[in-house]
């Protein structure tokens, strides 16, 4: 069927620029539409430059969108061209990316759905397998990944995230001002972050002012070596986490030493009373703290150290915070509590970064929020088999990418 009216109708249904409809036929797999490019002179499929024709490839199909249960396929015999730079290549077509078997509109819809749905749902809705979904996501992310995402970076957040059991990690760099992931690399060592600075370049590195991070020695060293002018900020969450771990270590030691005694019984159900903020304690937990104050001075001293460190980071004036941290480190070092003596050395070593938090109010909260979203993506996908697929999904959903699939418009 190739009547003028049919070609006009199909052209309106397909809504693809740079395409001319020649006819259509109904087959078992759907409607096969014969098309050809509007441009007369072929272009290289890789670089898009005009190139002389070489010969004609066999006819091939591109999967397009569906109308209900009826799938549309585009059929065309692409020309091969001889490009000066890339040699003999298949010509570029307006409706699909190079080496893709799907139209751009179809891939746009897949990417839009992948930001909102799990792969199994996409496979069910579009009639494709999960490998195809992953391939499309990786291709469209590489194609749409804006080089400008690294422009104008001033405040960045750095963190690592596990993507597979067995200590497999990726490192993330987040733009604080735009709340989006701008870079993902495999690993969590100094060399991983060096790769980010290599891609960023010296000129754009000079524009950085602050970098928030946890107390990772690898990240701190990389930032110190590659961007020594950048102020490193260690937020209170990670410092207080170390204090909580030190307190819990002391508690476990006391439980072992006091096992079977009356003092040991008083330690039961004391963990959350010790770790929670004072204003969040229940009546029972408050009573437990009062009991520990009388029965176990060692553990109560550890609790006071934990709370004192938190108060030190509540100061608004960096000078007062600095004085408090110095006194706290001295107290912790002479507390006869090994976990807190060790923590005192860590705090002293990272004091400048902790004071930077007090001075600027910056934290890794934006990064942690994005990490929670990424963990949800990982659970939704039941894990990822390789870091390349994980990276593509992170950038797709957390990199600020926007898609405009051909969705119906309400009348």
């Amino acid at each position: 069927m190739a009547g003028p009216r049919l070609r006009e109708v199909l052209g309106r249904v397909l809504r693809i620029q740079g395409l001319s409809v020649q006819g259509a036929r109904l087959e078992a797999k759907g409607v096969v539409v014969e098309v050809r490019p509007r441009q007369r002179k072929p272009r290289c499929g890789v670089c898009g430059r005009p190139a002389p024709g070489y010969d004609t490839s066999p006819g091939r199909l591109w999967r397009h969108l569906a109308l209900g249960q009826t799938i549309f396929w585009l059929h065309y015999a692409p020309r091969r061209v001889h490009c000066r730079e890339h040699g003999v290549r298949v010509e570029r077509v307006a409706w699909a990316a190079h080496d893709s078997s799907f139209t751009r509109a179809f891939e746009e819809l897949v990417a839009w759905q992948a930001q909102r749905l799990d792969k199994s749902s996409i496979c069910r809705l579009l009639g494709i397998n999960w490998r195809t979904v992953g391939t499309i996501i990786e291709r469209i992310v590489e194609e749409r990944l804006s080089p400008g995402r690294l422009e104008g970076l001033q405040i960045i957040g750095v963190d690592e995230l596990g993507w597979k059991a067995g200590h497999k990690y990726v490192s993330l760099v987040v733009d604080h001002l735009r709340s989006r992931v701008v870079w993902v690399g495999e690993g969590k060592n100094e060399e991983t972050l060096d790769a980010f600075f290599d891609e960023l370049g010296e000129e754009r590195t000079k524009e950085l002012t602050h970098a928030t991070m946890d107390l990772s020695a690898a990240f701190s060293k990389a930032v110190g070596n590659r961007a020594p002018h950048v102020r490193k900020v260690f937020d209170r969450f990670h410092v207080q986490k170390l204090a909580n771990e030190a307190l819990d270590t002391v508690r476990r030691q006391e439980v072992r030493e006091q096992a079977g005694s009356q003092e040991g019984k008083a330690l039961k159900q004391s963990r959350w009373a010790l770790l929670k903020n004072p204003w969040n304690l229940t009546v029972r937990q408050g009573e437990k703290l009062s009991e520990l104050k009388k029965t176990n001075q060692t553990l109560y001293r550890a609790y006071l150290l934990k709370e004192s460190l938190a108060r030190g980071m509540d100061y608004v004036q960096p000078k007062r915070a600095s004085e408090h941290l110095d006194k706290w480190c001295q107290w912790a070092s002479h507390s006869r509590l090994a976990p807190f003596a060790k923590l005192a050395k860590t705090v002293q070593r990272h004091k400048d970064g902790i004071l930077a938090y007090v001075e600027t109010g910056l934290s890794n909260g934006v990064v942690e929020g994005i990490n929670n979203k990424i963990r949800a993506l990982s659970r939704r996908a039941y894990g990822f088999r390789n870091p390349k697929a994980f990276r593509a999904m992170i950038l797709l959903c957390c990199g600020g990418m926007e898609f405009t699939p051909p969705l119906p418009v309400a009348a």
Side-chain angles (χ1 to χ4, degrees):
M1 299 185 292
R5 184 60 178 166
L6 175 63
R7 291 198 297 267
E8 180 183 354
V9 170
L10 288 173
R12 294 193 176 205
V13 170
L14 296 177
R15 291 181 176 272
I16 299 176
Q17 298 293 327
L19 172 149
S20 176
V21 176
Q22 302 300 298
R25 62 183 182 275
L26 186 61
E27 295 185 0
K29 58 187 172 185
V31 177
V32 178
V33 183
E34 298 288 344
V35 298
R36 65 174 177 80
R38 289 188 182 275
Q39 62 184 24
R40 293 188 176 182
K41 191 168 185 179
R43 294 175 177 269
C44 172
V46 178
C47 63
R49 295 191 184 97
Y54 188 79
D55 60 7
T56 301
S57 301
R60 54 175 295 192
L61 294 171
W62 287 266
R63 164 74 192 272
H64 191 49
L65 302 172
L67 182 62
Q69 293 184 327
T70 303
I71 299 173
F72 282 86
W73 301 82
L74 306 187
H75 181 267
Y76 172 62
R79 296 165 287 184
R80 294 201 300 171
V81 299
H82 193 280
C83 178
R84 291 182 180 179
E85 182 178 354
H86 300 102
V88 178
R89 296 284 180 172
V90 176
E91 71 169 309
R92 171 172 290 187
V93 293
W95 55 85
H98 183 62
D99 283 341
S100 173
S101 299
F102 304 91
T103 65
R104 293 186 183 276
F106 184 84
E107 293 190 342
E108 187 91 1
L109 182 60
V110 170
W112 184 84
Q113 289 187 349
Q115 289 179 327
R116 295 158 175 82
L117 302 173
D118 59 89
K119 285 187 179 181
S120 297
S121 299
I122 300 172
C123 294
R124 182 73 181 275
L125 286 170
L126 300 181
I128 53 180
N129 62 53
W130 66 272
R131 289 184 184 275
T132 299
V133 176
T135 301
I136 290 175
I137 290 173
E138 290 179 27
R139 178 168 53 245
I140 205 166
V141 165
E142 290 304 317
E143 183 180 298
R144 300 285 187 89
L145 197 60
S146 171
R149 73 191 188 283
L150 298 178
E151 299 291 342
L153 291 179
Q154 297 178 19
I155 304 173
I156 60 172
V158 184
D159 204 1
E160 76 277 351
L161 190 68
W163 63 272
K164 189 178 181 181
H167 304 290
K168 302 292 185 179
Y169 293 91
V170 294
S171 295
L172 313 175
V173 178
V174 174
D175 181 357
H176 269 264
L177 301 182
R178 290 178 288 183
S179 298
R180 62 180 59 171
V181 177
V182 295
W183 189 86
V184 182
E186 185 179 359
K188 62 168 186 173
N189 52 28
E190 183 183 351
E191 290 74 19
T192 303
L193 203 55
D194 279 340
F196 163 71
F197 285 110
D198 290 340
E199 189 172 341
L200 188 64
E202 292 185 8
E203 292 302 317
R204 291 185 293 198
T205 299
K206 293 177 182 177
E207 298 178 8
L208 297 177
T209 59
H210 296 80
T212 66
M213 64 188 75
D214 57 19
L215 301 178
S216 166
F219 290 160
S220 180
K221 186 177 180 181
V223 172
N225 291 338
R226 300 299 298 270
H229 66 284
V230 171
R231 188 84 184 273
K232 289 179 281 189
V233 182
F234 304 117
D235 70 355
R236 67 181 302 157
F237 170 81
H238 293 96
V239 178
Q240 290 184 210
K241 181 182 177 183
L242 292 178
N244 287 341
E245 291 173 353
L247 173 58
D248 205 42
T249 300
V250 174
R251 183 190 64 82
R252 290 196 300 270
Q253 290 174 350
E254 289 298 305
V255 168
R256 288 193 296 268
E257 292 176 4
Q258 303 291 344
S261 66
Q262 193 66 29
E263 291 80 4
K265 293 179 181 179
L267 293 175
K268 289 184 178 181
Q269 298 181 349
S270 63
R271 184 185 183 197
W272 297 116
L274 292 165
L275 295 180
K276 286 175 70 173
N277 292 319
W279 55 88
N280 287 332
L281 294 175
T282 64
V283 175
R284 180 70 187 91
Q285 289 168 345
E287 292 173 351
K288 176 62 70 174
L289 268 183
S290 299
E291 184 181 359
L292 289 174
K293 184 177 180 181
K294 299 174 183 177
T295 60
N296 196 311
Q297 289 294 316
T298 298
L299 186 53
Y300 192 73
R301 185 165 67 253
Y303 170 76
L304 293 177
L305 280 165
K306 186 263 291 188
E307 288 299 313
S308 179
L309 181 58
R311 285 198 300 273
M313 290 180 288
D314 284 336
Y315 284 106
V316 178
Q317 302 91 341
K319 182 178 179 181
R320 294 189 66 185
S322 177
E323 293 172 351
H324 184 100
L325 289 177
D326 287 338
K327 292 177 181 178
W328 185 90
C329 288
Q330 186 176 9
W331 180 20
S333 298
H334 296 85
S335 65
R336 298 194 301 276
L337 299 173
F340 279 94
K342 181 180 178 181
L343 177 58
K345 294 179 181 178
T346 301
V347 170
Q348 200 66 48
R349 190 166 59 250
H350 296 90
K351 181 182 172 184
D352 289 342
I354 297 171
L355 292 177
Y357 160 76
V358 176
E359 181 181 337
T360 64
L362 291 171
S363 73
N364 241 21
V366 173
V367 183
E368 293 297 334
I370 291 175
N371 279 355
N372 288 336
K373 182 178 180 181
I374 295 172
R375 290 187 186 97
L377 292 174
S378 184
R379 289 193 296 270
R380 194 174 77 186
Y382 298 98
F384 288 86
R385 294 176 183 269
N386 62 77
K388 185 178 179 182
F390 193 33
R391 172 183 178 273
M393 200 65 181
I394 291 171
L395 292 171
L396 178 78
C397 299
C398 304
M401 291 189 173
E402 295 183 1
F403 299 94
T404 55
L407 300 174
V409 179

